[in-house]
Amino acid sequence: MNPPAGQVVDYLRLSVTDRCNYRCVYCMPPEGIPSIPHEDIFSYEDMGFFVGASAEMGITKVRVTGGEPLVRKGLADLISLIRAVPGIQGISLTTNGVLLPRFAEGLKAAGLDRVNISLDSLDPERYRFLTRGGSLEAALAGIEAALHHSLAPVKLNVVMMPDILSEIADFVALTRDRPLHVRFIEWMPVGGCGPRSAGESVTKAEVMKVLHGLNNRGSLAPEPVDPPLGWGPAHYFRFPGHQGTLGFIGSVSDHFCRECNRLRLTADGRLKNCLFSSAEVDVKGAVQARDRDAVLALIGESLEGKTFDKNVLPGRTNRGMSQVGG
Ligand code: SAM
Ligand code: SF4
C-alpha cells in the first residue's frame, strides 16, 4: 500500500459496533449516541471479506474495536475469520475489559493475539465517575483474564483526564511486577467530545514531570519500541527493573500524522483515512456485492486522500470516538 507520502499503511482499525455498555465522560454524552440500525451494520462475513481485500493492499495488522466490541455477539467468530486471511500477522482488540473474564479464553483460541484495555483510574469512585457507572473491580478482573490467557502484551489505555496527576505513581506501581504496559493518551476533541478549554486537559509534559519526580529503583529511561509493543504512535519509557512500560500517545501535542500507518473501517462500512477528518469512502455496496476489484479501488481512493502533513489541530468531526473506534 503506497499512499502519496510513500508511507506504509499496514494497520486497519475495524469497528464492529457503535454500541457500548459504558458512557465514558471523554467519549460520549450522558444520554449516549443514537445507534446505527442493526440492518446497516456489517456482518462478520462482510468484515472478513473487507480484511481479505485490505490484506491484498498491504494491511498486515488488524485491531478490533468499537463502541465496546465485546457487546457484539460471537466476536470470536470474527477473530477466526480474520485469522484465516493470508497476510494478517497480528490481531488485537481494544476493550473496556469488563466482559473479558467471560470471553478471553474463546478469543485466544480463535486467534486473538493481544488486548488493549481502557483503565482511566485506579480509584473505584473516580473510575465510576469517568465511565458513568462502571466497575473498577470488573475492569481489573478483565486485566487478570487477559494476562491469564496470554493476550499479551497487555496494554492499558489511560486518557489523561483532570486529576490523573495524583494517580501517576499508582499506575507506575502496576508496571513494577507485572508485564502491563500503561499508555497515557491525550484527550482528543473528536466528534464534539473533548476538553472545552486547555485547562481541562492534562498534557504529556505534565505527566512526564511527575514521572521524573518519582524514584523507582532509579530514573525513567526511554524504551526501544519493538513490535508488538509498538504498532502505533506511542513513545515508551521504563523504570529500571520494572516488567512493564509507560507510554504516551500525544495525539494533539505531538500531532502524529507523519507516523500514521492506519486506516479505519466503521461498523456501517465506511472507510476513514484520518480520525480527525469527516471524509469517508463508502465501501458497503462493494463489500456486500463481494466485488473484490471495486473494494480494492475504493481502498486505493481512500489512501489517495490520506495526507500526512496536516498542521491544523483536530476539529469537530462527524463521528465520535465510539462511532469510529478510537
Ligand atoms: N470501548 C473500547 C474501549 O474503551 O477501550 C474500545 C473503543 S474506545 C472508543 C477506543 C479508545 O479510545 C479507548 O482507549 C478510549 O479510552 C479512547 N478514547 C475515547 N474517547 C477519547 C477521547 N475523546 N480522547 C482520547 N481517547 C479517547
Ligand atoms: Fe464505551 Fe470505550 Fe467510549 Fe468508554 S471509551 S464510552 S468504553 S466506547
Side-chain angles (χ1 to χ4, degrees):
M1 219 176 250
N2 286 310
Q7 200 158 349
V8 176
V9 174
D10 57 1
Y11 172 19
L12 174 69
R13 291 182 73 101
L14 186 63
S15 174
V16 299
T17 180
D18 60 338
R19 289 159 205 257
C20 189
N21 47 1
Y22 275 2
R23 297 279 179 273
C24 300
V25 296
Y26 50 77
C27 179
M28 280 197 204
E31 66 280 11
I33 291 175
S35 300
I36 300 169
H38 281 295
E39 60 272 22
D40 292 337
I41 298 276
F42 260 7
S43 67
Y44 289 153
E45 288 71 25
D46 292 336
M47 291 177 186
F49 181 81
F50 181 84
V51 172
S54 65
E56 287 188 50
M57 297 283 281
I59 292 291
T60 59
K61 294 165 283 204
V62 178
R63 174 170 300 283
V64 174
T65 177
E68 174 46 47
L70 293 177
V71 301
R72 183 154 174 185
K73 283 205 185 87
L75 192 69
D77 296 343
L78 175 67
I79 301 296
S80 300
L81 286 174
I82 300 173
R83 192 79 273 172
V85 173
I88 297 301
Q89 295 160 13
I91 311 174
S92 61
L93 173 75
T94 299
T95 171
N96 60 34
V98 297
L99 294 173
L100 269 180
R102 203 188 308 169
F103 295 121
E105 184 175 7
L107 291 166
K108 181 72 184 181
L112 182 67
D113 293 309
R114 50 191 150 266
V115 289
N116 286 12
I117 299 174
S118 295
L119 186 77
D120 300 303
S121 174
L122 291 166
D123 173 77
E125 276 310 310
R126 188 160 173 268
Y127 182 91
R128 189 173 303 122
F129 166 76
L130 289 172
T131 55
R132 293 205 181 90
S135 157
L136 175 64
E137 197 182 351
L140 294 176
I143 293 169
E144 290 307 318
L147 288 169
H148 182 73
H149 293 289
S150 303
L151 290 167
V154 178
K155 300 183 194 170
L156 306 180
N157 287 351
V158 183
V159 179
M160 295 188 283
M161 299 299 288
D163 297 335
I164 188 69
L165 295 177
S166 63
E167 293 202 48
I168 302 298
D170 295 335
F171 278 108
V172 170
L174 273 189
T175 71
R176 188 178 303 133
D177 301 321
R178 315 198 72 189
L180 292 171
H181 304 279
V182 174
R183 291 130 41 92
F184 296 105
I185 301 173
E186 275 181 358
W187 186 11
M188 294 182 256
V190 173
C193 284
R196 282 174 298 272
S197 65
E200 240 192 330
S201 60
V202 176
T203 63
K204 173 181 173 183
E206 290 172 278
V207 175
M208 280 304 276
K209 195 171 166 205
V210 176
L211 286 173
H212 283 304
L214 299 174
N215 189 347
N216 285 279
R217 308 176 203 159
S219 52
L220 194 65
E223 174 77 7
V225 181
D226 295 319
L229 201 56
W231 289 357
H235 299 123
Y236 288 93
F237 302 86
R238 194 192 289 265
F239 280 105
H242 281 212
Q243 286 195 41
T245 60
L246 300 149
F248 285 93
I249 303 184
S251 36
V252 181
S253 60
D254 279 356
H255 216 46
F256 51 51
C257 300
R258 287 197 171 275
E259 295 167 46
C260 181
N261 61 345
R262 55 189 64 182
L263 280 180
R264 295 174 161 84
L265 186 72
T266 65
D268 56 348
R270 306 298 198 277
L271 196 52
K272 289 183 82 78
N273 58 25
C274 177
L275 179 60
F276 299 132
S277 162
S278 296
E280 297 178 349
V281 171
D282 185 351
V283 298
K284 188 174 177 188
V287 166
Q288 293 186 330
R290 299 294 185 262
D291 185 340
R292 175 186 159 276
D293 290 345
V295 174
L296 294 182
L298 290 168
I299 295 173
E301 184 187 316
S302 181
L303 285 170
E304 284 286 309
K306 190 166 174 66
T307 53
F308 294 97
D309 57 352
K310 294 190 181 74
N311 290 315
V312 289
L313 272 180
R316 299 197 164 232
T317 45
N318 59 337
R319 296 187 194 236
M321 288 294 261
S322 64
Q323 297 165 305
V324 182

